[in-house]
């Protein structure tokens, strides 16, 4: 079975297009594509950061916009950030999946292969960016399930078989798998016995040959006939295991060779007339080795040579792309076997898709930008894809029978060991070539003999020529000597002539320079005059600004004087009002003191009179009691007759006493009522006086507070205006200094420019004049600066003195306010204490009066 499925032979990289028949639609479509041309489809895929890069927090400099199909790279050039943006047919970011990439970009290409086109998909990029992962993907699971990270090749195979099985089509399929390592082609599907001698130098390498129609084919490449997808998967795994890989600093399993996996499909279909046709399509899946920087990948010795060969072939691929984009007349396909194998895919009749893989890391920025540049240029390559012609089944079978017969004869000759079997046509062709070669050798021998005779003749002629040259050399020496003498005389004449011309040129140059210097002097004089006029206008403007500033300062000085006079007047008025209020309060206190003294004296006299009356009353009462006791003792011994008379006398005397007591009680009540009424009146007067004093003090405090607020606000506004004035003066000084500095620099530049252009004598005169002008301008500028600085310093001193005076007045005014408030509080407390003492005295006297009334009432009750 394996012997029937595997055969060696000449394997073309693209199916033959000289098939016997095709339908009109296919030929028309092919002609349209051939005339128009189709651009190569370019995709970009960016891998995510590796584990090591993520652990080291490597900066990301590549961003992918899948919607806009753009890739942006951030690049720092001369400390400037430059963003470069590239547009492609499709862009897949770091989070893209294998399935998404295949369905969006590769599935239509597989469908076109089944339509009869030759298509090529190849991955291009730096080592370690995921080319092999994109093309092959992860390994199949042990249970045979289709992995989720399968690459383009297994997914394309699965789609081909799914479509063919869904169509119930009759087909045949064969695959080839080759490797290009160090510019040598290796068959990855060859038997194990053959691979053992791959490195044997005596073994003839697999040849890459032209087919005479613009294409190439590989002689002796093994073709595997397959019927299921699993067979292709096994072949792919077997061939991938044989590929040369190695570990570098950039990739743990770096591919060290290019690989091309080809699938050729023949599909049978019937025409409406019932004729059976064979449709052929081919899919080339190319996994290129990655370009690498040897210093960064750590490649040494053999690995370094491998990297050099890889970079050489990829560099040739880049030159081919550039030549195709620039429409160069010569495209260097033959400089590398890789470009010869991809010749039909780049600028040929194949539909091509390039997958450029890149890294987002900043460490790979240079290689990433190179990949993006090449991929962006490859977009402009135009292929002219043609659909493969469909061939009749009988013609295909006839070709296959002739091929089988040839192979049988070769196998028979090899089995019988009678030498190598060569077909008759080839044998006759080789015999004819041998005869032609023998004839050519004989002809060349005859030509060699004639050439020897010609050589002898030429040698004799050479000897004669030598003798002739000796004679001619003697004559030549004599002629050279005479020529040297004439040259010396000619040289002397030329020197004199050049000296004369030089003196004439110098005079003309001096005259022209003098004329130019005169014109330049006139022009510079005009410019200097204009500059001096501008400087004079600037100086006049400066003086006008200084006059305006003086006027403003004078106005500010007048305002400060007015404010000082107004402030002194207001302070004097305030002092007068405070003094008047103090005098008025002293007069009111004196009046109150006199009223209190008169009130106390009158009350003391009334109490003294009351005390005298009470004493008299006590004496009278005591004498009456004694008289009654005496009468009682005298009349104890008397009889009953005289007792009635005595009772009548006692009754009369008691009534008289009662009347006396009533009069005394009425008089004491009236005296107490008068005392109480006078005390109430005095208390009302005192409360009214205290209220009046409080209101007067409150009004005085409010007035002083309002005046203090006004003065403080005025001081603050005055301080603010003074600070603004200082700022304005400083700004005007800065602008004036800047203008003066510009004027001085401009004048110095003009004088320096003039001095450079004038001659020495004129330069001395101009230097003296310019120095005088410079001194005059410098003196004027210094005078202006000194006057401006003096005025500014005087203005600053005045503003500082004004600020000091305002701050001192402000501090004194605060002390005055605090002292006034403390005096007010002391006066109010003294008035309150006097009021309280007076109330206590009145209450004490009132209590004494009440006690006296009570005492009289007790006496009256006892007597009654």
């Amino acid at each position: 079975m394996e012997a029937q499925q595997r055969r060696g032979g000449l394997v073309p990289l693209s199916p033959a297009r000289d098939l016997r028949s095709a339908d009109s639609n296919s030929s028309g479509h092919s002609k349209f594509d051939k005339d128009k041309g189709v651009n190569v489809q370019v995709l970009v895929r960016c891998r995510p950061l590796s584990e090591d890069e993520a652990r080291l927090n490597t900066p990301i400099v590549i961003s992918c916009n899948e919607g806009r199909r753009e890739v942006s790279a951030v690049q720092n050039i001369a400390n400037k950030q430059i963003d470069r943006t590239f547009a492609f047919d499709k862009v897949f970011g770091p989070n893209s999946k294998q399935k998404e990439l295949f369905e969006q970009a590769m599935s239509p290409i597989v469908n076109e292969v089944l339509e009869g086109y030759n298509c090529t998909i190849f991955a291009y990029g730096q080592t370690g960016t995921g080319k092999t992962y994109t093309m092959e993907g992860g390994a199949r699971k042990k249970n045979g399930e289709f992995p989720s990270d399968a690459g383009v090749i297994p997914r394309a195979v699965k789609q081909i078989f799914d479509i063919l099985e869904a169509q119930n089509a009759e087909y045949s399929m064969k695959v080839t798998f080759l490797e290009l390592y160090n510019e040598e082609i290796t068959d990855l599907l060859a038997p194990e016995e053959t691979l053992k001698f791959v490195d044997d130098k005596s073994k003839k390498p697999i040849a890459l040959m032209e087919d005479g129609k613009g294409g190439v084919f590989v002689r002796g490449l093994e073709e595997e006939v397959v019927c299921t997808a699993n067979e292709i998967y096994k072949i792919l795994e077997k061939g991938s295991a044989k590929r040369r890989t190695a570990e570098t600093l950039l990739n743990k399993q770096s591919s060290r060779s290019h690989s091309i996996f080809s699938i050729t499909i023949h599909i049978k279909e019937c025409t409406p007339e019932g004729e059976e046709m064979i449709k052929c399509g081919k899919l080339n899946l190319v996994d290129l080795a990655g370009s690498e920087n040897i210093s960064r990948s750590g490649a040494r010795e053999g690995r370094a040579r491998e990297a050099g060969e890889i970079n050489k072939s990829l560099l040739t691929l880049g030159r081919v792309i550039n030549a195709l984009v620039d429409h160069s007349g010569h495209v260097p396909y033959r400089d590398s076997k890789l470009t010869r194998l991809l010749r039909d895919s780049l600028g040929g009749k194949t539909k091509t898709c390039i997958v450029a893989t890149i890294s987002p890391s900043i460490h790979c920025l240079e290689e990433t930008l190179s990949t993006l540049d090449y991929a962006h240029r490859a977009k402009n390559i135009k292929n002219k894809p043609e659909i493969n012609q469909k061939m009749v089944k009988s013609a295909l079978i006839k070709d296959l029978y002739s091929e089988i017969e040839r192979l049988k004869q070769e196998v028979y000759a090899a089995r019988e060991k009678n030498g190598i079997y060569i077909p008759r046509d080839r044998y006759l062709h080789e015999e004819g070539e041998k005869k032609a070669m023998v004839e050519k050798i004989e002809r060349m021998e005859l030509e060699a003999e004639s050439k020897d005779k010609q050589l002898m003749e030429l040698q004799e002629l050479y000897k004669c020529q030598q003798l002739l040259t000796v004679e001619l050399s003697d004559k030549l020496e004599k002629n050279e000597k005479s020529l040297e003498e004439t040259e010396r005389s000619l040289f002397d004449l030329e020197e004199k002539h050049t000296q004369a011309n030089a003196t004439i040129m110098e005079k003309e140059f001096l005259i022209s320079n003098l004329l130019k210097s005169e014109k330049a002097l006139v022009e510079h004089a005009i410019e200097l005059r204009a500059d001096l006029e501008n400087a004079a206008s600037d100086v006049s403007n400066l003086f006008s600004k200084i006059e305006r500033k003086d006027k403003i300062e004078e106005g500010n000085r007048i305002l400060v004087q007015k404010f000082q006079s107004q402030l002194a007047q207001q302070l004097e008025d305030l002092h007068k009002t405070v003094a008047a209020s103090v005098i008025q309060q002293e007069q009111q206190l004196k009046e109150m003191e006199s009223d209190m003294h008169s009130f106390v004296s009158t009350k003391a006299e009334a109490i003294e009179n009351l005390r005298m009356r009470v004493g008299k009353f006590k004496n009278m009462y005591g004498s009456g009691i004694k008289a009654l006791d005496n009468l009682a003792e005298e009349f104890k011994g008397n009889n009953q007759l005289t007792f009635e008379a005595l009772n009548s006398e006692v009754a009369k005397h008691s009534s008289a006493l009662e009347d006396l007591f009533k009069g005394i009680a009425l008089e004491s009540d009236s005296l107490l009522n008068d005392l109480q009424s006078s005390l109430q009146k005095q208390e009302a007067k005192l409360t009214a006086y205290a209220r009046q004093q409080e209101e007067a003090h409150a009004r005085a405090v409010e007035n002083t507070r309002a005046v203090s607020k006004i003065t403080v606000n005025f001081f603050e506004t005055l301080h603010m205006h003074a600070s603004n004035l200082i700022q304005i003066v400083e700004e005007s000084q800065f602008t004036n200094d800047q203008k003066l500095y510009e004027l001085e620099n401009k004048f110095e530049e003009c004088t320096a420019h003039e001095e450079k252009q004038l001659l020495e004598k004129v330069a001395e005169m101009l230097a003296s004049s310019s120095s005088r002008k410079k001194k005059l301008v410098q003196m004027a500028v210094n005078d202006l600066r000194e006057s401006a600085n003096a005025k500014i310093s005087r203005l600053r001193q005045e503003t500082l003195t004004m600020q000091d005076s305002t701050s001192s007045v402000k501090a004194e005014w605060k002390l005055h306010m605090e002292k006034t408030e403390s005096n007010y509080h002391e006066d109010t407390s003294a008035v309150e204490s006097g009021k309280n003492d007076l109330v206590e005295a009145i209450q004490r006297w009132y209590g004494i009066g009440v006690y006296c009334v009570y005492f009289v009432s007790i006496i009256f009750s006892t007597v009654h």
Side-chain angles (χ1 to χ4, degrees):
M1 184 71 178
E2 290 181 358
Q4 292 178 359
Q5 290 182 354
R6 183 184 295 114
R7 64 187 179 87
L10 304 178
V11 181
L13 288 181
S14 58
R17 302 180 187 276
D18 56 345
L19 304 179
R20 290 176 173 62
S21 64
D23 56 355
S24 59
N25 294 331
S26 299
S27 62
H29 185 67
S30 176
K31 185 177 181 181
F32 177 75
D33 286 344
K34 183 175 180 181
D35 294 337
K36 186 178 179 182
V38 178
N39 283 10
V40 171
Q41 184 181 8
V42 179
L43 319 177
V44 172
R45 187 179 192 185
C46 181
R47 69 164 174 82
L49 291 175
S50 63
E51 295 180 357
D52 295 337
E53 291 172 343
R55 186 174 65 254
L56 297 174
N57 295 323
T58 304
I60 296 175
V61 294
I62 300 295
S63 61
C64 300
N65 190 335
E66 298 182 5
R68 297 178 63 181
R69 296 181 294 181
E70 290 181 350
V71 177
S72 298
V74 179
Q75 187 178 12
N76 288 322
I77 298 175
N79 296 326
K80 291 183 180 179
Q81 183 173 333
I82 299 173
D83 295 340
R84 296 184 62 188
T85 303
F86 301 87
F88 297 98
D89 296 315
K90 289 185 184 297
V91 173
F92 297 93
N95 298 323
S96 61
K97 304 296 182 183
Q98 297 276 62
K99 184 178 180 182
E100 179 183 353
L101 172 70
F102 180 80
E103 290 178 352
Q104 293 186 16
M106 306 304 171
S107 181
I109 297 174
V110 175
N111 293 331
E112 289 176 346
V113 171
L114 296 176
E115 292 295 326
Y117 283 96
N118 293 342
C119 300
T120 299
I121 301 170
F122 70 85
Y124 175 82
Q126 182 195 4
T127 182
T129 54
K131 296 182 298 301
T132 304
Y133 176 78
T134 300
M135 297 303 294
E136 299 180 7
R140 284 198 304 162
K141 298 181 180 179
K142 294 181 179 179
N143 54 7
E145 294 181 1
F146 195 73
S148 60
D149 59 346
V152 173
I153 297 176
R155 290 181 186 274
V157 170
K158 185 175 182 300
Q159 182 177 348
I160 289 170
F161 279 100
D162 289 344
I163 293 173
L164 292 175
E165 290 174 1
Q167 294 177 353
N168 292 323
E170 293 185 17
Y171 63 90
S172 67
M173 190 181 303
K174 54 187 178 181
V175 297
T176 61
F177 201 3
L178 64 87
E179 175 188 49
L180 181 61
Y181 174 74
N182 287 346
E183 289 296 308
E184 292 185 1
I185 297 174
T186 304
D187 188 1
L188 297 177
L189 301 184
E192 296 293 333
E193 293 81 6
T194 307
L195 288 176
K196 290 180 182 178
F197 303 100
V198 168
D199 295 330
D200 188 1
K201 294 182 180 179
S202 63
K203 181 174 175 24
K204 188 175 182 180
I206 297 176
L208 186 64
M209 305 182 68
E210 302 283 344
D211 61 358
K213 301 173 184 178
V216 294
F217 64 92
V218 182
R219 182 193 290 271
L221 192 64
E222 291 289 335
E223 290 182 328
E224 291 280 351
V225 178
V226 293
C227 299
T228 62
N230 288 328
E231 292 180 5
I232 296 181
Y233 296 154
K234 291 178 181 178
I235 291 170
L236 184 63
E237 290 176 1
K238 182 176 71 172
S240 298
K242 295 177 183 178
R243 283 190 68 185
R244 290 172 174 84
T245 59
E247 183 177 355
T248 65
L249 297 178
L250 298 176
N251 191 1
K252 293 182 179 178
Q253 191 174 2
S254 175
S255 300
R256 314 305 293 173
S257 62
H258 313 296
S259 68
I260 300 176
F261 185 77
S262 300
I263 304 173
T264 306
I265 308 169
H266 291 86
I267 304 172
K268 185 177 78 172
E269 59 182 17
C270 295
T271 62
E273 292 81 11
E275 187 178 6
E276 293 182 349
M277 306 290 290
I278 303 298
K279 180 171 62 176
C280 180
K282 187 171 185 179
L283 178 63
N284 297 315
L285 300 164
V286 183
D287 180 16
L288 299 178
S291 61
E292 65 182 63
N293 189 339
I294 296 175
S295 61
R296 291 184 59 241
S297 65
R300 297 288 184 273
E301 297 179 357
R303 294 286 173 260
R305 287 193 294 274
E306 288 176 358
E309 292 292 337
I310 293 168
N311 291 336
K312 180 181 177 182
S313 61
L314 293 176
L315 186 62
T316 306
L317 177 62
R319 290 203 304 272
V320 168
I321 292 173
N322 290 333
L324 291 171
V325 172
D326 298 336
H327 303 289
S328 177
H330 171 68
V331 181
Y333 289 113
R334 302 184 66 84
D335 291 355
S336 172
K337 288 186 179 180
L338 175 64
T339 53
R340 291 181 69 190
L341 290 169
L342 297 177
R343 180 171 184 172
D344 197 46
S345 301
L346 297 173
K349 300 176 182 179
T350 302
K351 289 192 174 183
T352 303
C353 176
I354 299 175
V355 181
T357 57
I358 58 175
S359 169
S361 172
I362 191 173
H363 303 306
C364 304
L365 179 60
E366 184 178 355
E367 290 83 359
T368 300
L369 289 174
S370 176
T371 301
L372 292 173
D373 284 331
Y374 274 118
H376 194 264
R377 290 182 65 82
K379 278 180 59 182
N380 299 318
I381 298 175
K382 285 188 178 293
N383 287 354
K384 295 179 181 178
E386 295 181 1
I387 194 168
N388 295 320
Q389 292 181 348
K390 299 176 183 178
M391 51 187 174
V392 183
K393 183 179 179 181
S394 59
L396 180 63
I397 292 172
K398 185 177 179 181
D399 290 340
L400 292 175
Y401 273 127
S402 62
E403 182 71 17
I404 290 168
E405 188 65 27
R406 184 180 64 79
L407 292 173
K408 280 182 179 179
Q409 292 176 357
E410 290 181 359
V411 169
Y412 178 76
R415 187 185 302 142
E416 294 296 328
K417 297 181 180 179
N418 291 329
I420 298 172
Y421 174 78
I422 297 175
R424 181 177 180 82
D425 295 338
R426 185 176 173 185
Y427 174 76
L428 294 174
H429 180 67
E430 289 181 357
E431 287 294 326
E433 286 182 354
K434 285 181 181 178
K435 289 181 181 179
M437 187 66 68
V438 169
E439 292 176 356
K440 187 176 181 180
I441 290 169
E442 291 176 354
R443 188 171 60 254
M444 291 177 71
E445 286 178 352
L446 293 173
E447 289 178 356
E449 290 178 358
S450 64
K451 294 291 183 185
D452 290 336
K453 291 179 181 179
Q454 290 178 2
L455 180 61
M456 294 295 290
E457 292 176 356
L458 290 172
Q459 285 178 352
E460 292 177 357
L461 182 62
Y462 176 70
K463 291 177 180 179
C464 295
Q465 291 293 330
Q466 280 183 343
L467 295 172
L468 183 62
T469 51
V470 170
E471 294 177 357
L472 291 173
S473 62
D474 294 335
K475 292 180 181 180
L476 182 62
E477 288 178 357
K478 294 178 181 178
N479 291 327
E480 284 179 353
K481 290 179 181 178
S482 61
L483 181 63
E484 286 178 358
E485 292 176 356
T486 54
E487 283 180 353
R488 288 172 186 171
S489 61
L490 181 62
F491 182 72
D492 295 334
L493 291 172
E494 286 180 352
E495 284 184 352
K496 292 179 181 179
H497 184 263
T498 53
Q499 288 177 359
N501 288 329
T503 53
I504 293 168
M505 292 294 291
E506 285 178 359
K507 290 179 179 179
E508 290 178 353
F509 181 72
L510 288 172
I511 293 167
S512 63
N513 283 334
L514 286 171
L515 293 173
K516 289 180 181 178
S517 62
E518 287 179 359
K519 290 180 181 179
L521 281 172
V522 173
E523 292 175 357
H524 284 296
I526 293 168
E527 291 178 358
L528 283 173
R529 183 177 179 182
D531 292 335
L532 288 173
E533 288 176 356
N534 293 328
S537 63
D538 292 336
V539 171
S540 62
N541 292 328
L542 181 62
F543 279 120
S544 62
K545 286 184 179 180
I546 292 169
E547 288 177 359
R548 288 199 299 274
K549 186 181 72 175
D550 293 336
K551 289 179 182 179
I552 292 167
E553 291 174 359
E554 188 66 26
N556 290 329
R557 193 178 296 107
I558 292 167
L559 288 174
V560 170
Q561 290 176 358
K562 286 182 180 179
F563 170 70
Q564 287 179 353
S565 62
Q566 290 176 2
L567 181 63
Q569 186 67 31
Q570 289 179 0
L571 291 174
E572 188 176 357
D573 295 338
L574 180 63
H575 183 68
K576 287 179 181 178
T577 53
V578 172
S581 64
V582 170
I583 292 167
Q584 187 178 1
Q585 288 176 5
E586 287 178 355
Q587 289 177 358
Q588 289 177 358
L589 288 172
K590 287 179 181 179
E591 291 176 356
M592 186 176 69
E593 188 176 359
S594 62
D595 291 338
M596 290 298 295
H597 281 299
S598 61
F599 173 74
V600 170
S601 62
T602 53
K603 296 305 174 188
E605 290 177 356
I607 290 167
E608 188 66 28
N609 292 328
L610 181 61
R611 188 180 291 113
M612 289 173 66
R613 288 182 181 180
V614 171
K616 288 178 182 180
F617 175 72
K618 283 182 180 180
N619 292 328
M620 289 173 66
Y621 181 73
S623 64
I625 293 297
K626 288 179 180 179
L628 287 174
D629 289 335
N630 292 326
L631 285 174
E633 287 178 358
E634 287 178 358
F635 288 108
K636 273 184 182 180
N638 295 332
N639 52 13
Q640 189 69 32
L641 292 174
T642 59
F643 184 72
E644 293 179 358
L646 183 61
N647 285 332
S648 62
E649 289 291 333
V650 170
K652 290 178 182 179
H653 188 67
S654 62
S655 62
L657 288 173
E658 187 175 357
D659 293 334
L660 179 62
F661 283 138
K662 285 181 178 179
I664 293 169
L666 290 171
E667 188 176 358
S668 64
D669 286 334
S670 64
L671 182 61
L672 289 172
N673 288 327
D674 293 336
L675 180 62
Q676 189 173 4
S677 62
S678 63
L679 289 173
Q680 288 177 354
K681 289 178 182 178
Q682 195 68 28
E683 186 177 2
K685 285 182 180 180
L686 287 172
T687 53
Y689 174 73
R691 193 177 297 111
Q692 185 179 4
Q693 291 296 320
E694 287 178 356
E695 291 176 354
H697 280 293
R699 283 195 300 273
V701 170
E702 289 295 329
N703 290 328
T704 53
R705 283 180 180 172
V707 172
S708 66
K709 286 181 181 179
I710 291 166
T711 52
V712 168
N713 291 328
F714 181 75
F715 286 148
E716 289 178 353
T717 54
L718 184 63
H719 182 70
M720 184 178 66
H721 286 302
S723 61
N724 291 331
L725 182 61
I726 290 170
Q727 188 176 2
I728 290 165
V729 169
E730 289 177 352
E731 290 178 354
S732 64
Q733 183 184 4
F734 178 74
T735 54
N736 293 331
D737 290 338
Q738 191 173 6
K739 287 182 179 180
L740 290 172
Y741 181 70
E742 289 176 356
L743 176 61
E744 188 175 354
N745 288 334
K746 191 172 182 182
F747 189 77
E748 287 179 356
E749 288 177 359
C750 291
T751 54
H753 187 64
E754 289 176 0
E755 287 176 1
K756 287 180 182 179
Q757 291 185 350
L758 297 178
L759 297 172
E760 291 181 356
K761 293 181 180 179
V762 180
E764 291 177 0
M765 295 171 65
L766 187 61
S768 61
S769 63
S770 63
S771 63
R772 287 196 298 273
K773 292 176 185 177
K774 192 184 292 184
K775 287 180 181 178
L776 291 173
V777 173
Q778 190 71 30
M779 289 173 66
V781 168
N782 291 329
D783 293 336
L784 287 173
R785 284 182 178 172
E786 288 176 358
S787 61
N789 290 326
K791 289 181 180 179
I792 289 166
S793 63
R794 189 169 64 254
L795 181 61
R796 284 182 179 174
Q797 189 174 2
E798 289 179 359
T799 51
L800 290 172
T801 54
M802 186 171 64
Q803 287 180 355
D804 294 336
S805 62
T806 52
S807 61
S808 63
V809 170
K810 191 175 181 181
E812 290 177 358
W813 183 251
K814 285 184 179 179
L815 291 173
H816 176 69
M817 285 297 298
E818 291 176 356
K819 189 174 181 181
T820 304
E821 288 183 357
S822 64
N823 292 330
Y824 169 72
H825 289 303
E826 289 177 358
D827 293 338
T828 51
S829 63
V831 170
E832 287 291 331
S833 63
K835 182 180 176 182
N836 293 328
D837 294 337
L838 184 60
V839 169
E840 288 178 359
I842 290 168
Q843 288 179 356
R844 189 169 60 251
W845 288 109
Y846 182 74
I848 292 169
V850 171
Y851 177 73
C852 292
V853 173
Y854 176 71
F855 179 71
V856 171
S857 63
I858 290 172
I859 292 171
F860 179 74
S861 63
T862 54
V863 172
H864 185 71

